[in-house]
Amino acid sequence: MFGRSRSWVGGQGRTKNIHSLDHLKYMYHVLTKNTTVTDHNRNLLVETIRSITEILIWGDQNDSSVFDFFLEKNMFAFFLNILRQKSGRYVCVQLLQTLNILFENISHETSLYYLLSNNHVNSIIVHKFDFSDEEIMAYYISFLKTLSLKLNNHTVHFFYNEHTNDFALYTEAIKFFNHPESMVRIAVRTITLNVYKGELDNQHMLHYIRDKTAVPYFSNLVWFIGSHVIELDKCVQTDEEHKNRGKLSDLVAEHLDHLHYLNDILIINCEFLNDVLTDHLLNRLFLPLYVYSLVSPETSEERKINPQVSLYLLSQVFLIIHYEPMVNALANVILNGDLSVFTPQTDLHSTLKSTASAGGVRRFTKPPESLERSLELSRHRGRKRTQKRPNYKNLGEEEDDERCLMMHPGYPTTTTAAALVSKQKRERD
């Protein structure tokens, strides 16, 4: 798409050099004349957004005045306005695709700061897209993954707002942890790992993840993994003639992917994450589902899966997961046969904290609430009534509310971006 000249508005007003500040000014003129999306200008607006993206990528490398003009005219707001008009899947797909290309190709942090300022990106993240459309879903999750790759100690302030306790990039992504499409689930894992790796130096964000998201996410993730294990076991039990080897191979591969993801989280070595995750894995998955299936009578309701399947899955746990406190605790139960760990009064290991599991009961049970519901309840509990919530602005709010958000002390603005640029210059000097 780069480098091709196009005809704009029926071939009139075309500039000689499409990679120039003058052409960006012309594109701005097109946007101001087409603020409402119609059947007649839909294609024009899509091509205009594409062209603006090309110019911004070019300007990132060649002409900083391009970004100055883009910000001066608040051109990102036009993108958001087009999106909010519910102008159809074609426009949504093209806009998400274009934004993904833009953020993938921006290399200078100064340019990135300015693109992230004024909270427009967070508004796009929380926009209610039609996720039943596979193409929209694919471009949306790819957009989130691209943004997560840009996380660092400086850019995180544009995504996590400590004043309103919002972190839309993370919370919106993990809602798709159990999406039926494997590529979406893989993208979610990548996003979460990028967040966990980048939050170790940010105490406010660390506390947010610990207090608001860790238990809901890990409890639902463990339930999802366990449900997948039961499906795998059923495939083994019902396939005596080995006709479903392909399906079984896929189920095993998916489970191994789960274990590698869990290990990737644990080896980041974030203490509170490891405590919560280890507690849920042992008390909600490995012990009640795997180990107990080895020793329970065949007719017992506690036997969830076949012992042979359980042995195989446990062997993979020990091969893949390298977090010593959890591996040692699990091995101790298996080798010493100490089933007292299944009583609520007994701690499994002195290094584990039992506060994350409900009442210390060790069972494979479905969480009482879905992840999305848990996050919503947590969001409302942590929200101060007197504060606006810039990351979750409702579509119907008035312009006065928009101005209030812009003045909110936690709102990431162009001034914030300028301050970061100055700070980095001082650090280099």
Side-chain angles (χ1 to χ4, degrees):
M1 70 182 255
F2 299 106
R4 292 183 298 176
S5 62
R6 294 186 179 90
S7 175
W8 302 97
V9 196
Q12 299 177 359
R14 179 167 47 184
T15 56
K16 293 182 179 180
N17 184 5
I18 64 171
H19 293 155
S20 65
L21 178 60
D22 288 339
H23 194 62
L24 181 63
K25 290 179 179 179
Y26 177 65
M27 293 298 97
Y28 172 70
H29 175 74
V30 173
L31 290 178
T32 58
K33 296 298 182 182
N34 295 271
T35 55
T36 302
V37 182
T38 67
D39 291 338
H40 298 291
N41 67 6
R42 182 176 283 108
N43 290 333
L44 170 64
L45 286 171
V46 166
E47 291 302 311
T48 301
I49 293 171
R50 285 177 175 173
S51 183
I52 290 172
T53 297
E54 291 183 26
I55 298 170
L56 290 175
I57 294 172
W58 172 84
D60 177 56
Q61 301 292 330
N62 299 281
D63 187 356
S64 61
S65 65
V66 165
F67 273 89
D68 293 337
F69 182 82
F70 183 83
L71 291 163
E72 177 189 345
K73 300 301 183 181
N74 196 19
M75 293 178 70
F76 220 133
F78 287 93
F79 294 7
L80 196 57
N81 176 58
I82 292 171
L83 193 61
R84 285 174 171 169
Q85 292 183 50
K86 298 181 179 180
S87 48
R89 69 174 302 277
Y90 173 68
V91 174
C92 285
V93 167
Q94 296 302 321
L95 185 58
L96 286 171
Q97 182 185 39
T98 302
L99 289 173
N100 202 30
I101 293 172
L102 173 61
F103 280 94
E104 277 184 342
N105 288 277
I106 291 295
S107 58
H108 286 80
E109 288 201 342
T110 304
S111 303
L112 182 62
Y113 296 159
Y114 286 130
L115 283 177
L116 294 174
S117 63
N118 293 332
N119 216 41
H120 294 315
V121 170
N122 284 321
S123 296
I124 292 173
I125 291 173
V126 300
H127 179 75
K128 300 301 181 183
F129 291 97
D130 179 12
F131 293 121
S132 63
D133 187 300
E134 293 182 0
E135 197 170 9
I136 290 178
M137 180 73 252
Y139 281 119
Y140 176 79
I141 203 67
S142 179
F143 177 52
L144 298 193
K145 185 172 75 171
T146 298
L147 293 175
S148 74
L149 293 169
K150 303 294 183 180
L151 283 174
N152 57 42
N153 289 335
H154 300 297
T155 60
V156 69
H157 301 289
F158 294 103
F159 296 103
Y160 171 64
N161 188 329
E162 64 184 77
H163 297 281
T164 55
N165 224 16
D166 283 333
F167 193 6
L169 174 61
Y170 176 66
T171 55
E172 294 302 311
I174 61 177
K175 292 176 183 178
F176 299 102
F177 79 99
N178 60 350
H179 194 274
E181 174 55 52
S182 63
M183 295 306 296
V184 174
R185 298 196 300 272
I186 292 171
V188 171
R189 295 169 195 166
T190 301
I191 293 166
T192 57
L193 290 172
N194 289 336
V195 169
Y196 298 152
K197 291 174 183 176
E199 54 86 37
L200 295 178
D201 296 327
N202 189 311
Q203 290 298 313
H204 292 290
M205 192 170 81
L206 185 146
H207 291 157
Y208 170 80
I209 292 176
R210 179 192 65 194
D211 299 335
K212 302 295 183 182
T213 70
V215 171
Y217 177 50
F218 289 145
S219 62
N220 280 274
L221 177 64
V222 164
W223 171 255
F224 177 68
I225 294 173
S227 300
H228 180 271
V229 166
I230 291 176
E231 183 183 359
L232 188 156
D233 180 70
K234 288 180 179 178
C235 183
V236 172
Q237 300 302 318
T238 58
D239 191 27
E240 296 179 357
E241 298 181 1
H242 307 292
K243 294 181 179 180
N244 294 326
R245 287 186 178 181
K247 179 182 179 181
L248 182 58
S249 296
D250 291 342
L251 290 171
V252 170
E254 177 71 13
H255 183 67
L256 298 184
D257 285 345
H258 289 151
L259 293 180
H260 282 290
Y261 171 55
L262 296 172
N263 184 62
D264 287 341
I265 296 175
L266 293 167
I267 62 177
I268 292 172
N269 206 27
C270 177
E271 182 180 358
F272 87 86
L273 273 180
N274 287 2
D275 285 346
V276 177
L277 181 55
T278 298
D279 184 64
H280 278 84
L281 286 173
L282 288 171
N283 297 316
R284 293 287 186 261
L285 184 65
F286 294 154
L287 295 177
L289 187 60
Y290 294 13
V291 176
Y292 206 84
S293 295
L294 290 176
V295 297
S296 298
E298 186 173 351
T299 57
S300 172
E301 292 183 359
E302 296 297 334
R303 177 180 286 189
K304 305 292 185 182
I305 60 177
N306 186 277
Q308 288 81 4
V309 173
S310 177
L311 279 173
Y312 170 75
L313 296 176
L314 282 169
S315 71
Q316 297 305 307
V317 170
F318 287 113
L319 283 171
I320 294 172
I321 295 182
H322 305 298
Y323 182 58
E324 287 189 11
M326 187 184 72
V327 172
N328 291 342
L330 185 57
N332 184 57
V333 173
I334 296 172
L335 297 177
N336 295 330
D338 182 11
L339 296 181
S340 63
V341 295
F342 290 102
T343 62
Q345 294 81 12
T346 307
D347 288 332
L348 175 63
H349 193 277
S350 59
T351 60
L352 300 182
K353 297 180 180 180
S354 60
T355 55
S357 62
V361 179
R362 296 177 176 94
R363 297 175 183 170
F364 177 64
T365 56
K366 186 176 182 178
E369 297 167 337
S370 68
L371 175 58
E372 189 166 0
R373 177 62 176 163
S374 296
L375 293 175
E376 185 69 16
L377 292 174
S378 178
R379 179 172 69 89
H380 286 297
R381 283 195 296 265
R383 182 180 181 182
K384 295 181 180 179
R385 293 183 179 180
T386 57
Q387 289 181 329
K388 293 290 182 181
R389 187 178 178 83
N391 290 5
Y392 288 81
K393 181 179 181 295
N394 293 325
L395 300 185
E397 289 182 353
E398 301 296 331
E399 291 182 0
D400 290 341
D401 292 333
E402 181 76 32
R403 286 192 289 269
C404 289
L405 294 179
M406 295 290 286
M407 294 185 289
H408 193 280
Y411 196 94
T413 62
T414 316
T415 305
T416 309
L420 283 172
V421 173
S422 300
K423 181 180 178 181
Q424 283 199 325
K425 288 181 178 178
R426 291 196 301 270
E427 290 175 350
R428 286 195 295 268
D429 295 339

